[in-house]
């Protein structure tokens, strides 16, 4: 049986959780018959097994998307919008069960999982609305000799690759704009959390998804499987969310066929607190920016810079708040911070903490992994973190807050920008004009100005520098799946 764990019972009573590949509208096993075990990071038990695709299955999935492409592109925007809106309604209706599914395979607290489902569903609603409002342009050439007509066409077959940390939202943030734009797609979710993606695909089918418009391929061999999809002659677009390291590899492969690429990569978000900030609200924002998903978010505050006069008060407040966080299995309603995704994640977090301590940082809270069976790391606060500590330069992806004291504004801007990443930055100040002025000097695609949360379906989400290319969400996210076509005409 592929759904092995009793914990899944309340989910599967209401939500269909397929465990095979979705290809051309049918659920089918991998050609090799192989399967992948999906484990619960809170107790390391096997929840289910799903089909383990190889590159041949991947090619078949792209064939299916290619076969459906022309008919789907020819449907009306309203037809596509209606499908997305029905999926939005189904996701909302089943949100408790979907949240439980996310918690079981990803580990995050139920509160975080419910917030994710609400956020994920909104992409279906936003793109249902946005897909029917897309405008072109008609202009005169400066010479007056002819007209310039500009329209947008679907880019074509799209390969969507998503990470495990937001198994629903990272998938819907790609599926909804791709389908709204008139593209067909193959989704490859992370092997750690395939069940949520499969359940979302089943909801789309329930809402009336035509065969081949969205295909889903789960695999334990992402390298060859994604390569087979990117080198398929019908693939036109790669939309990837994951680490910068893997993103670089995929950009190289995509270069051979000059694919359009949307890349949502890693981050190293600074969280700056200026002396004139409202400390209570900065602490509240810090907890959201640091602890959403137990720190396993690309937008997670990775390094705190606090100005001298408020440094001690901020540290004291953060330690108190972090110490009060209840750590445990996500399915306990009282849990605020679940386990990390796997033992490797715990080892990586611990390595970064050890490195900082070896270089002179002090742990005021936490600082050592918790005992199993799950993969738990406690909320940790580090102070006196020296500039060369790895934790200030690498994504920690866990509940660790390294704090650095600074005195001058200029000094902090240089520290903030001293990174290859540029996804998001947080800045707290009581003077909005000062905040906006500083924001202009910050090298990141997004800034939370007196806010610890930036994600919004209506906002362009994405990074500069090595945090990515392109944007998701907003109208920009729809245009990512379209090509601009210009027609020169005279009349
Ligand atoms: P990851 O790069 O290891 O994996 C992401 C996806 O790529 C998964 O589906 C994985 O199976 C696949 N993959 C892994 N190796 C591959 C290869 N060689 N070829 C093709 N595909 C491959 O990242 P992760 O650990 O799943 O997720 C965490 C990372 O994602 C963090 O760096 C985080 O910052 C980033 N992230 C970014 C955003 C964003 O919007 N910018 C959002 C969420 C997560």
């Amino acid at each position: 049986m592929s759904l092995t764990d009793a914990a899944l019972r309340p989910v599967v009573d209401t939500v269909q959780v397929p465990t095979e590949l979705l290809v051309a509208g049918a659920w089918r096993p991998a050609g090799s018959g192989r399967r992948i075990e999906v484990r619960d990071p809170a107790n390391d038990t096997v929840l289910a097994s799903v089909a383990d695709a190889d590159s041949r299955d991947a090619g078949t999935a792209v064939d299916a998307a290619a076969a459906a492409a022309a008919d789907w592109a020819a449907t009306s925007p309203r037809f596509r919008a209606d499908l997305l809106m029905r999926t939005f309604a189904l996701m909302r209706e089943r949100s408790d069960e979907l949240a439980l599914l996310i918690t079981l395979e990803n580990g995050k607290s139920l509160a975080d999982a419910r917030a994710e489902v609400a956020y994920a569903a909104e992409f279906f609603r936003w793109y249902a609305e946005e897909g029917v409002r897309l405008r072109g342009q008609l202009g005169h050439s400066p010479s007056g000799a002819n007209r310039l007509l500009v329209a947008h066409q679907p880019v074509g077959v799209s390969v969507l690759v998503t990470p495990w940390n937001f198994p629903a939202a990272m998938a819907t943030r790609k599926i909804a704009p791709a389908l709204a734009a008139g593209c067909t797609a193959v989704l490859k979710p992370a092997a750690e959390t395939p069940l949520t993606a499969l359940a979302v695909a089943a909801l789309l089918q329930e809402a009336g998804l035509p065969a081949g418009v969205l295909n889903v391929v789960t695999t334990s061999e992402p390298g060859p499987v994604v390569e087979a999809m990117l080198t398929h002659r019908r693939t036109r677009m790669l939309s990837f969310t994951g680490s910068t390291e893997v993103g670089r590899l995929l950009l190289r492969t995509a270069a051979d066929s000059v694919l359009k690429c949307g890349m949502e990569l890693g981050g190293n978000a600074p969280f700056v607190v200026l002396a004139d900030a409202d400390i209570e609200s900065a602490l509240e924002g810090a907890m959201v920016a640091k602890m959403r998903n137990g720190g396993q978010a690309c937008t997670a505050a990775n390094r705190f810079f606090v100005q001298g006069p408020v440094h001690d008060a901020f540290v004291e407040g953060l330690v108190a708040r972090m110490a009060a966080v209840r750590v445990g299995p996500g399915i306990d309603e009282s849990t605020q911070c679940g386990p990390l995704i796997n033992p490797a994640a715990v080892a990586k977090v611990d390595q970064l903490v050890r490195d900082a301590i070896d270089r002179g940082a002090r742990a005021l809270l936490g600082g050592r992994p918790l005992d199993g069976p799950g993969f738990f790391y406690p909320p940790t606060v580090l102070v006196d973190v020296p500039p060369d500590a790895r934790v200030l330069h690498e994504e920690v992806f866990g509940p660790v807050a390294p704090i650095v004291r600074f005195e001058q504004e200029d000094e902090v801007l240089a520290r903030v920008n001293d990174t290859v990443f540029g996804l998001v930055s947080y800045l707290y100040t009581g003077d909005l004009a000062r905040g906006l002025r500083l924001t202009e000097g910050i090298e990141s695609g997004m800034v939370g100005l007196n806010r610890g949360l930036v994600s919004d379906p209506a906002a362009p989400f994405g990074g500069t520098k090595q945090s990515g290319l392109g944007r998701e969400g907003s109208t920009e996210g729809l245009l990512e799946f379209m090509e601009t076509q210009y027609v020169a005409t005279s009349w």
Side-chain angles (χ1 to χ4, degrees), residues 161-166 170 173 188-191 222-223 226 240-244 246 249-250 264-267 297-298 395 397 423 461 467:
V161 181
T162 53
W164 49 263
N165 65 338
F166 288 90
M170 296 304 97
R173 201 164 77 173
K188 194 217 77 65
V226 174
F240 173 77
T241 300
S243 60
T244 295
V246 173
L249 282 175
L250 299 189
E264 297 286 343
L265 309 178
C298 54
E395 265 189 314
F397 244 58
L423 188 61
F461 186 106
S467 286

Side-chain angles (χ1 to χ4, degrees), residues 84-93 121-122 124-125:
L84 298 181
M85 204 54 112
R86 285 194 295 274
T87 311
F88 165 70
L90 287 170
M91 260 190 105
R92 269 236 292 226
E93 200 180 289
E122 282 299 337
F124 286 121
R125 174 154 69 172

Side-chain angles (χ1 to χ4, degrees), residues 107-161:
K108 67 178 73 179
S109 71
L110 277 173
D112 276 345
R114 289 187 190 114
E116 181 183 346
V117 175
Y119 173 55
E122 282 299 337
F123 287 104
F124 286 121
R125 174 154 69 172
W126 170 265
Y127 284 108
E129 294 164 343
E130 204 62 5
V132 295
R133 312 246 185 274
L134 196 67
R135 295 196 195 296
Q137 281 173 8
L138 178 63
H140 291 258
S141 76
S143 68
N146 62 310
R147 304 291 193 278
L148 314 175
L149 176 66
V150 179
H152 304 285
Q153 309 291 353
V155 61
V157 173
S158 301
V159 172
L160 319 176
V161 181

Side-chain angles (χ1 to χ4, degrees), residues 23 34 58 74 78 88 124 242 282 306 340 363 377 388 391 435:
V23 179
R34 283 186 304 145
R78 179 63 73 198
F88 165 70
F124 286 121
V306 185
L340 301 186
Y377 204 91
D388 59 348
V391 72

